């Protein structure tokens, strides 16, 4: 399924270059990272009070304060080990802005297992 993302509210203090990122097909052997670039479009410093991912397989972090007019990034890392198929993760950025206390970002990947046997169970009859 294509990744459409969650639109940022018009009142959002940050203007992101993109609020979604699709890694495409990746192996299940190593983590992948992406930085969501954004700018503080307000005339005051905005505090990022928390950055939370929807799953323990994804880590996300950002600068604690973004000054007015300055650029910054939210760095995300997705660990695909133990996963298979399409994975969509949501990252929520919490701010101290009363008009927009949270902004959501999304990442996706098509995780390809290193080796896979289907069906999971196979019967070979009686073996000697």
């Amino acid at each position: 399924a294509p990744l459409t993302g969650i639109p940022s509210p018009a009142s959002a203090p940050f203007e992101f270059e993109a609020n979604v990122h699709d890694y495409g097909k990746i192996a299940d052997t190593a983590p992948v990272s992406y930085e969501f670039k954004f700018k503080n479009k307000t005339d005051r410093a905005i505090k990022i009070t928390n950055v939370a991912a929807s799953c323990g397989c994804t880590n996300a972090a950002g600068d604690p304060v973004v000054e007015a007019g300055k650029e910054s990034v939210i760095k995300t890392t997705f660990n695909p080990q133990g996963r298979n198929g399409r994975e969509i993760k949501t990252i929520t950025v919490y701010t101290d802005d009363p008009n927009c206390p949270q902004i959501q970002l999304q990442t996706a990947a098509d995780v390809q297992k290193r080796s896979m046997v289907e069906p999971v169970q196979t019967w070979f009859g009686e073996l000697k």
Side-chain angles (χ1 to χ4, degrees):
L3 186 63
T4 58
I6 302 164
S8 292
S11 61
F14 301 144
E15 184 175 332
F16 282 85
E17 286 182 6
N19 64 349
V20 298
H21 177 72
D22 195 332
Y23 294 107
K25 289 184 179 182
I26 63 169
D28 69 343
T29 55
V32 290
S33 296
Y34 180 76
E35 290 184 347
F36 287 95
K37 297 176 184 177
F38 66 94
K39 182 177 183 177
N40 178 348
K41 64 182 185 178
T42 71
D43 60 357
R44 68 179 186 89
I46 301 291
K47 286 183 184 177
I48 295 177
T49 58
N50 191 20
V51 180
S54 61
C55 175
C57 61
T58 302
N59 294 320
D63 292 328
V65 177
V66 182
E67 296 297 329
K70 298 294 181 183
E71 295 181 353
S72 190
V73 297
I74 300 294
K75 183 175 182 179
T76 63
T77 302
F78 169 63
N79 185 347
Q81 288 184 310
R83 308 253 172 210
N84 182 37
R86 186 76 168 156
E87 294 280 332
I88 298 175
K89 305 301 172 193
T90 301
I91 296 98
T92 305
V93 180
Y94 296 91
T95 74
D96 70 344
D97 188 318
N99 297 319
C100 185
Q102 62 184 18
I103 301 165
Q104 292 187 320
L105 310 170
Q106 286 186 317
T107 62
D110 291 309
V111 181
Q112 309 292 303
K113 286 193 132 338
R114 193 171 3 172
S115 63
M116 184 169 44
V117 177
E118 290 209 22
V120 176
Q121 294 181 340
T122 304
W123 186 67
F124 294 103
E126 290 187 29
L127 301 175
K128 292 184 181 184

